[in-house]
Amino acid sequence: MENSKEERDEKLVELAKVQGDFEAQVLKGMLESEGIEVAVRTGVTPNILPFTVDGLGQVKLFVKESDLEAAKAVMRANEERDGEPADPADPDDPDDAGTCN
């Protein structure tokens, strides 16, 4: 199916800057699984410089302007989920007892 001219010409806006291609690809996959198209741009080939020096190696993620709020919501939900502390061990559960036999 072909996109309309308006969809192809829609302005891209920067969503996030991340450190390295791995993190960028993880975020891209997460957003695309929610139906949000993502463009990834970097100034340096990661295999040459796989770390950041004064912004080199930084990867930027861009989304359509109309998808920006939805993409931010997906990223916030992911941060909230990842930021939650792990469940404390249950002393009544033998798998969580924390003892070695």
Side-chain angles (χ1 to χ4, degrees), residues 14-89:
E14 185 177 303
L15 172 66
K17 292 179 191 171
V18 297
Q19 304 303 315
D21 190 57
F22 179 77
E23 186 177 359
Q25 293 304 318
V26 169
L27 289 173
K28 181 180 183 212
M30 178 182 66
L31 292 164
E32 287 179 342
S33 73
E34 297 292 330
I36 300 169
E37 292 181 47
V38 180
V40 177
R41 294 186 188 154
T42 182
V44 176
T45 304
N47 293 335
I48 295 172
L49 187 62
F51 53 87
T52 298
V53 177
D54 291 332
L56 293 175
Q58 233 177 26
V59 181
K60 295 180 182 180
L61 295 143
F62 292 83
V63 296
K64 292 179 182 177
E65 192 169 31
S66 61
D67 288 336
L68 182 61
E69 291 307 314
K72 285 180 179 180
V74 169
M75 290 185 68
R76 274 193 303 273
N78 184 60
E79 288 172 0
E80 289 171 4
R81 185 185 71 237
D82 289 347
E84 292 180 1
D87 290 330

